[in-house]
Amino acid sequence: MYLGLDFGTSGARAVVIDSNLQVKAQAKYVWQNAEENKLPHVWQNALFSLISDIPENIRQEIRAIAIDGTSATVLLCNSYGKPVTEALLYNDSRGVAIMDKLKSIAPPNHPVISATSSFAKLLWLTENISLSNQTYYFLHQADWLGFLLHGKLGVSDYNNVLKLGYDVGDLSYPDWLTNFINSEVGKNIQLPEVVIPGATVGNVTTEIVNNFSLSPQCLVRGGTTDSIAAFIASGANTPGEAVTSLGSTLVLKLLSPTRVDSAQYGIYSHRLGNLWLVGGASNTGGAVLRHFFSDFELENFSKQIDSNVESGLDYYPLLQKGDRFPINNPELLPRLAPRPENSTIFLHGLLEGIAKIELRGYELLQALGAAPLTKVYTAGGGAKNPTFTAIRERYLGVPTMKAVYTDAAFGSAVLAMNN
């Protein structure tokens, strides 16, 4: 048995699978409010609660565990692993205050040049938190949770440390980052040791064995981010296969033998074994649809649409001006006119508009050197709409299907198994 743990934006989930990828147990823990997600002790409660909720006979058979967490959710710990700050969440943008200094340290167009990157948060912490001369460990959410299980402080994976500045091509910290850490400002900050996602970090501690009836031979593997875990869960595993996430926004990830990075379009590549996961995100998506229609209306009107026929409308669905991918223009205006009186036709045009942006996004990734698109798996709420899927397949020109699994915890369980 293999346990995957996912710590996401709304809560945490656990999935146990066997070697045939069959789900044997599941559990979930919901954050009561957004503030809870900033509190490491709540993460710890969730972690231990999830493990406790797995039937004991299954717990005893778990051979390995892997954890995913939200990308660029970070905290500082002392040498005992005790957090000395609240967590700075994935979307915490207080780093905007130190952007000029960040740009003077990191190379031009680097993925860390973002107010929400892990490095921006590290820089903010060193400038705004009073630190003594003791050593502090800078950890991501999945890193710290893994420590609670294996007891080895300061271990991360190359997916989580991408936005810290780690060079996933050379598998090393670059000179500009180590020079900063060795400077007067960052000298008492310890960066995590980096392992391959899924690599063995160590066995669970004796305390964890005793408290949760796990096997002493149970291993803890290197973790990953929630979005990478969701990609692993989807079933995509061959160059040219992609995952489109149709949630509030539109997120594309294309598996490629070639790495593609373009700060201009917010495109960067995660390493996935010997391949690269090339991604970009648009502001279009389900939030636009929900602005105009209820879930009931979306389902009802979609059934009345002929997906093989063009609506005759040319929309660029946005809720407010500005997009970065596939069009990089902060002044780009939404295009939602003319609006027909017939709501079904209006929805038809919106679905086609999103599909066209998706197509343009994949065309851009390929134009920049990513693998030719061969198949698209779909995750998120939009995956449940067969009319939308048919429209997208018509534009994309490749098979388009629902992801095999959409639960990131399942992807982490696969990561725990595949070693």
Side-chain angles (χ1 to χ4, degrees):
M1 303 282 187
Y2 302 90
L3 170 60
L5 294 156
D6 163 54
F7 281 72
T9 56
S10 59
R13 293 179 63 86
V15 170
V16 178
I17 62 172
D18 63 17
S19 54
N20 295 316
L21 301 180
Q22 298 301 304
V23 175
K24 295 300 181 180
Q26 298 183 72
K28 67 178 179 178
Y29 187 105
V30 179
W31 313 132
Q32 297 303 309
N33 53 63
E35 291 302 308
E36 271 201 335
N37 199 11
K38 296 180 180 179
L39 305 174
H41 75 269
V42 176
W43 303 348
Q44 179 173 323
N45 291 342
L47 174 67
F48 294 160
S49 174
L50 289 171
I51 297 174
S52 297
D53 285 346
I54 297 166
E56 185 172 346
N57 64 315
I58 293 179
R59 260 184 277 154
Q60 294 170 343
E61 298 296 320
I62 294 172
R63 295 175 58 187
I65 302 170
I67 304 174
D68 73 75
T70 47
S71 178
T73 292
V74 301
L75 69 162
L76 278 180
C77 298
N78 64 21
S79 56
Y80 299 100
K82 182 179 179 180
V84 296
T85 63
E86 69 175 17
L88 303 188
L89 295 183
Y90 62 97
N91 59 354
D92 190 307
S93 61
R94 69 187 73 187
V96 71
I98 45 83
M99 286 302 291
D100 288 343
K101 182 165 185 179
L102 190 157
K103 290 176 181 176
S104 73
I105 298 172
N109 299 321
H110 197 282
V112 302
I113 301 178
S114 162
T116 59
S117 74
S118 298
F119 183 68
K121 290 167 182 146
L122 172 60
L123 191 56
W124 186 90
L125 285 167
T126 60
E127 297 218 333
N128 291 275
I129 301 296
S130 180
L131 301 175
S132 67
N133 289 326
Q134 66 175 297
T135 298
Y136 296 91
Y137 287 79
F138 183 75
L139 300 177
H140 296 83
Q141 183 178 41
D143 310 342
W144 186 73
L145 289 164
F147 156 72
L148 296 179
L149 298 182
H150 56 62
K152 296 183 179 180
L153 187 60
V155 180
S156 190
D157 63 273
Y158 64 52
N159 293 147
N160 268 296
V161 292
L162 176 72
K163 293 180 181 178
L164 177 56
Y166 186 81
D167 189 327
V168 291
D170 291 341
L171 296 181
S172 64
Y173 285 112
D175 289 344
W176 66 263
L177 181 53
T178 54
N179 289 341
F180 166 74
I181 292 299
N182 293 330
S183 71
E184 192 66 28
V185 175
K187 66 180 181 180
N188 55 346
I189 303 291
Q190 183 75 37
L191 297 183
E193 172 194 350
V194 182
V195 301
I196 297 170
T200 299
V201 177
N203 294 72
V204 292
T205 65
T206 302
E207 182 180 8
I208 294 296
V209 169
N210 293 337
N211 288 347
F212 300 103
S213 301
L214 292 173
S215 164
Q217 281 73 49
C218 179
L219 301 172
V220 182
R221 311 281 202 197
T224 187
T225 65
D226 55 347
S227 63
I228 301 296
F231 185 91
I232 294 170
S234 71
N237 55 24
T238 304
E241 294 185 340
V243 173
T244 294
S245 178
L246 290 169
S248 298
T249 58
L250 174 73
V251 182
L252 312 185
K253 286 187 168 67
L254 173 60
L255 200 56
S256 172
T258 308
R259 180 179 182 176
V260 176
D261 294 292
S262 173
Q264 178 184 359
Y265 295 104
I267 297 169
Y268 58 89
S269 296
H270 270 289
R271 188 166 187 153
L272 206 61
N274 294 321
L275 298 172
W276 297 94
L277 197 50
V278 185
S282 169
N283 292 333
T284 194
V288 182
L289 300 178
R290 281 211 165 89
H291 179 74
F292 293 105
F293 300 102
S294 66
D295 287 349
F296 173 78
E297 289 171 329
L298 284 171
E299 182 178 358
N300 187 40
F301 295 149
S302 292
K303 291 176 181 177
Q304 301 173 42
I305 294 172
D306 185 344
S307 58
N308 295 309
V309 176
E310 292 278 349
S311 68
L313 300 168
D314 184 25
Y315 293 155
Y316 199 103
L318 297 171
L319 284 181
Q320 55 192 23
K321 73 176 183 179
D323 207 0
R324 188 174 188 183
F325 172 88
I327 297 175
N328 181 18
N329 181 358
E331 299 300 318
L332 182 69
L333 295 174
R335 193 165 65 244
L336 296 167
R339 178 171 177 174
E341 291 184 11
N342 186 303
S343 294
T344 300
I345 298 174
F346 181 50
L347 175 60
H348 191 173
L350 291 176
L351 296 179
E352 285 185 343
I354 296 172
K356 291 174 186 176
I357 295 171
E358 181 184 9
L359 171 61
R360 191 165 180 171
Y362 281 122
E363 287 177 340
L364 177 59
L365 296 180
Q366 293 166 93
L368 293 173
L373 186 67
T374 60
K375 184 185 294 184
V376 176
Y377 294 90
T378 311
K384 302 171 185 175
N385 188 322
T387 304
F388 197 8
T389 300
I391 290 172
R392 292 171 49 239
E393 189 168 65
R394 172 160 58 86
Y395 279 101
L396 295 172
V398 298
T400 304
M401 62 206 69
K402 188 176 180 180
V404 178
Y405 292 96
T406 58
D407 193 337
F410 183 92
S412 284
V414 173
L415 192 63
M417 180 180 72
N418 288 342
N419 189 61

